[in-house]
C-alpha cells in the first residue's frame, strides 16, 4: 500500500484519540473522522506511529448517523473532532472507548453504569485558551490550533464551546491588537509581543477573567490594548497581564499585573463558592462538574463520621463537596496557589473540617503512611498521566477500605486499576462521565473496594 493510493477500508474500532481504526488489504489504517461501522474509500497519506494514515474521500456505508456540524470551523479546528456526530452517538462511542481501554488491561467491573451526559453539549466551557500568531502575510491571527498542528493557528470567528461574551472578547482583543499594530510573538525568532489570550467565565456568578500573556512588559502598547478592550467590554470583571519571556510556548509566566478587578473570579458549583485564580485548575464544564462530584460522592458511599483523603485536590472543589458529610477531609495538591485557594474556599464556605497539604502526591502520600495516618475513603483525581508508581504503592500500603478514582484518561485509568487490583482491590463500578462534548475525551469514575468480591 503506497502513499497516494485509494483503498476501501472497513472501520472496526477507535484509537484512544477517537480516530477510526480500519482494516484494508490486511493492514491497519488510522482513518480520521471515521467511526466503527463506517466503510470508506480513503487516500493513504503516510505513516503515523507505525500505522498507515488514510483520509476518507467517500463514505460507502456509515456506522453512525452524521449531522451538519454547527461550527463553521469544523474540520480545520483541532478542538471539536466529533461535531458531525449527533450527541447520543458521541456518548455511545465514549462508553466504548472506556470499556475497551479497561478490557485491554484485563480490568472488569462488577457494574457498568451508563455514561452521564453533559447538561449542555455546546457552549459548556468556562475556560478557553487562544494563541496569537502571524499569518502567511504577516497579519495578526488570534485563534485556535489547526487540526494536527502545534504551531499553526487560525482566526476563530465564533467558537461553539464558549459563551457569546467570550466570543466577543476574542474579536475585541484581535481588533484592538491589529489597530495598534502589536505583533504576535514568533516561536522561531523569539521576537514580537502577544502570546496567549485566556478567558475564564464563571457560569454561577457571570464573572469573567481575561488574561493576556505577553513577551515584554511594561509596554505602553499592551497598556493601550488592555484599555481599549476594557472600554469596549466593561462586563469584563477582571483583566490580568502575565509576562512570559521564556521560550516554551505555554500560557504561564514569571510575573503578573492586575489591570482591573481582584485578579480572580468566583464560581458557584454544587451550592459552594470557589475562588478561581488565573493559574489554578477548575473543571472546564462547571455544570457537569456538579454531577461529577455528586456521582463520585455517591460512589464513595456514606461518609458520616469518616476520615477522607482527596488526592490531587486542585482548589478543593471535590474536597469541599465531601466535607459537607465527612468528619474530616485531607486534600493534597502540588500547585501552591491552588492549595491557598482551597484553604480560602473552605473558609468561604464555613467548612472547618478540611486540611490541605501542598506537595507532590508521590511524596506526601508515602509520608502520611509512614506517620501512621489512615483513611476510611481515598478519592484520587490525577492529571492525564495517571498515578505515580509511588502513589500506587502507598495506596496498597494504606489499605483504605474504599478508593474512588476520577480519571480524564481511560488509558491511564485502566493501567492504574490493574495496579490497584494487584494491590488487593476489586472494581465495584465504573461510570463514564462526559465532561467534554464534541471531543473524543471522556472522564470516568471507578469505585474500588478492598478485599474479596
Ligand atoms: C484533574 S485535576 C483535579 C482537581 C480537582 N479534583 C478538581 O476536580 O478540580 C488534577 C490536579 O492534580 C494536580 N497535580 C498534578 N500533579 C500532581 C502531583 N504530582 N501531586 C499532587 N497534585 C498534582 C494538578 O495541579 C491539578 O490540580
Amino acid at each position: 500500500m503506497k502513499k497516494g493510493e485509494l483503498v476501501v477500508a472497513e472501520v472496526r474500532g477507535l484509537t484512544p484519540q477517537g480516530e477510526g481504526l480500519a482494516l484494508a488489504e490486511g493492514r491497519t489504517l488510522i482513518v480520521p473522522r471515521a467511526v466503527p461501522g463506517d466503510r470508506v474509500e480513503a487516500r493513504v497519506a503516510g505513516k503515523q506511529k507505525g500505522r498507515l494514515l488514510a483520509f476518507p474521500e467517500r463514505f460507502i456505508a456509515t456506522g453512525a448517523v452524521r449531522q451538519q456540524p454547527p461550527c463553521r470551523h469544523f474540520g480545520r479546528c483541532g478542538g471539536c473532532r466529533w461535531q458531525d456526530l449527533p450527541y447520543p452517538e458521541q456518548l455511545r462511542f465514549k462508553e466504548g472507548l472506556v470499556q475497551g481501554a479497561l478490557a485491554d488491561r484485563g480490568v472488569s467491573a462488577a457494574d457498568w453504569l451508563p455514561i452521564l451526559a453533559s447538561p449542555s453539549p455546546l457552549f459548556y466551557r468556562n475556560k478557553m485558551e487562544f494563541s496569537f500568531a502571524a499569518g502567511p502575510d504577516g497579519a495578526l491571527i488570534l485563534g485556535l490550533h489547526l487540526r494536527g498542528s502545534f504551531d499553526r493557528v487560525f482566526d476563530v470567528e465564533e467558537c461553539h464551546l464558549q459563551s457569546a461574551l467570550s466570543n466577543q472578547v476574542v474579536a475585541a482583543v484581535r481588533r484592538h491588537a491589529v489597530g495598534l499594530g502589536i505583533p504576535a510573538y514568533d516561536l522561531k525568532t523569539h521576537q514580537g509581543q502577544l502570546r496567549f489570550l485566556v478567558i475564564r467565565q464563571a457560569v454561577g456568578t457571570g464573572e469573567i477573567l481575561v488574561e493576556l500573556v505577553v513577551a515584554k512588559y511594561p509596554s505602553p502598547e499592551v497598556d493601550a490594548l488592555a484599555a481599549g478592550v476594557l472600554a469596549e467590554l466593561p462586563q469584563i470583571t477582571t483583566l490580568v497581564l502575565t509576562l512570559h519571556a521564556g521560550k516554551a510556548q505555554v500560557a504561564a509566566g514569571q510575573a503578573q499585573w492586575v489591570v482591573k478587578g481582584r485578579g480572580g473570579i468566583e464560581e458557584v458549583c454544587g451550592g459552594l463558592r470557589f475562588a478561581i485564580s488565573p493559574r489554578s485548575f477548575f473543571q472546564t464544564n462547571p455544570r457537569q462538574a456538579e454531577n461529577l462530584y455528586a456521582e463520585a460522592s455517591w460512589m464513595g458511599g456514606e461518609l458520616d463520621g469518616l476520615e477522607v483523603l482527596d488526592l490531587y485536590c486542585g482548589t478543593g472543589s471535590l474536597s469541599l463537596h465531601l466535607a459537607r458529610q465527612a468528619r474530616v477531609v485531607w486534600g493534597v495538591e502540588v500547585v501552591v496557589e491552588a492549595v491557598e485557594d482551597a484553604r480560602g474556599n473552605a473558609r468561604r464556605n464555613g467548612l472547618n473540617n478540611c486540611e490541605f497539604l501542598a506537595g507532590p502526591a508521590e511524596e506526601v502520600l508515602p509520608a502520611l503512611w509512614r506517620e501512621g495516618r489512615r483513611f476510611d475513603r481515598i478519592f484520587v483525581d490525577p492529571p492525564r498521566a495517571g498515578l505515580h508508581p509511588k502513589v500506587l504503592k502507598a495506596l496498597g500500603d494504606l489499605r483504605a477500605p474504599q478508593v474512588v478514582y476520577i480519571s480524564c484518561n481511560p488509558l491511564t485509568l485502566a493501567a492504574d486499576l490493574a495496579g490497584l487490583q494487584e494491590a488487593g482491590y476489586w472494581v465495584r463500578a465504573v461510570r463514564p462521565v462526559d465532561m467534554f462534548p464534541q471531543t473524543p475525551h471522556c472522564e470516568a469514575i471507578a469505585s474500588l473496594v478492598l478485599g474479596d468480591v
Side-chain angles (χ1 to χ4, degrees), residues 294-415:
E295 190 64 22
S297 310
W298 177 76
M299 286 173 79
E302 272 299 314
L303 297 181
D304 284 344
L306 299 188
E307 184 145 352
V308 173
L309 175 68
D310 179 17
L311 213 53
Y312 308 92
C313 67
T315 52
S317 29
L318 174 63
S319 320
L320 300 200
H321 279 82
L322 304 173
R324 291 193 287 202
Q325 243 196 62
R327 183 169 56 77
V328 56
V329 177
W330 293 76
V332 177
E333 163 64 42
V334 75
V335 176
V336 175
E337 293 87 342
V339 171
E340 283 160 11
D341 280 348
R343 291 182 183 135
N345 287 334
R347 283 195 297 277
R348 185 171 280 104
N349 290 284
L351 290 162
N352 50 18
N353 56 340
C354 300
E355 285 286 343
F356 292 101
L357 306 175
E362 55 275 24
E363 286 173 20
V364 177
L365 196 62
L368 288 171
W369 177 71
R370 283 194 300 272
E371 284 166 19
R373 201 158 277 290
R374 298 295 178 262
F375 303 95
D376 303 298
R377 297 279 186 283
I378 299 182
F379 290 76
V380 299
D381 186 3
R384 287 186 66 75
L387 300 178
H388 190 284
K390 286 186 184 164
V391 171
L392 261 182
K393 160 89 173 59
L395 287 173
D397 292 337
L398 279 160
R399 297 181 66 75
Q402 284 189 40
V403 170
V404 177
Y405 191 134
I406 304 175
S407 160
C408 55
N409 182 350
L411 292 181
T412 51
L413 172 69

Side-chain angles (χ1 to χ4, degrees), residues 149-296:
S149 166
F150 71 95
D151 58 351
R152 287 187 306 142
V153 174
F154 70 96
D155 267 326
V156 169
E157 304 293 334
E158 188 192 15
C159 170
H160 280 66
L161 296 191
Q162 60 170 355
S163 72
L165 177 57
S166 191
N167 276 308
Q168 284 176 36
V169 174
V170 176
V173 170
R174 183 190 297 121
R175 194 165 4 85
H176 285 277
V178 169
L180 289 160
I182 313 176
Y185 176 80
D186 187 307
L187 267 180
K188 293 196 183 90
T189 63
H190 303 291
Q191 300 297 310
Q193 175 61 290
L194 300 172
R195 301 188 78 154
F196 297 99
L197 165 69
V198 184
I199 304 172
R200 298 184 89 159
Q201 193 169 12
V203 292
T205 59
E207 291 183 337
I208 181 159
L209 182 157
V210 172
E211 181 187 10
L212 276 168
V213 183
V214 297
K216 293 169 228 148
Y217 198 75
S219 146
E221 55 182 6
V222 170
D223 289 339
L225 172 60
V229 171
L230 285 174
E232 182 173 334
L233 294 170
Q235 307 95 309
I236 295 172
T237 335
T238 194
L239 191 144
V240 175
L241 297 174
T242 298
L243 171 68
H244 174 31
K247 290 190 174 165
Q249 190 64 341
V250 288
Q254 295 90 32
Q256 243 171 25
W257 292 263
V258 178
V259 178
K260 180 184 174 185
R262 31 171 223 282
I265 51 173
E266 217 172 73
E267 177 62 293
V268 181
C269 181
L272 296 162
R273 293 186 86 83
F274 294 93
I276 305 178
S277 54
R279 290 277 75 83
S280 53
F281 178 89
F282 199 84
Q283 296 285 348
T284 49
N285 181 345
R287 289 289 78 95
Q288 182 70 329
E290 295 184 340
N291 297 333
L292 178 80
Y293 297 141
E295 190 64 22

Side-chain angles (χ1 to χ4, degrees), residues 34-53:
V35 294
D38 287 343
R39 187 159 190 263
V40 298
E41 218 169 37
R43 179 103 39 204
V44 177
K47 273 195 171 172
Q48 192 182 72
K49 290 184 189 151
R51 285 183 292 204
L52 286 170
L53 179 70

Side-chain angles (χ1 to χ4, degrees), residues 82 85-97 115-118 288 432-435 437 439 442:
W82 276 2
L85 290 174
Y87 192 46
E89 295 282 39
Q90 296 180 23
L91 294 174
R92 176 165 73 90
F93 289 122
K94 288 188 191 210
E95 273 185 333
L97 277 175
I115 189 165
L116 211 58
S118 171
Q288 182 70 329
V433 180
D434 188 19
M435 303 295 287
T439 78
C442 191

Side-chain angles (χ1 to χ4, degrees), residues 16-36:
Q17 293 72 35
E19 316 272 34
L21 256 184
L23 284 178
E25 299 166 22
R27 302 284 301 267
T28 306
L29 303 176
I30 294 179
V31 187
R33 300 199 303 275
V35 294

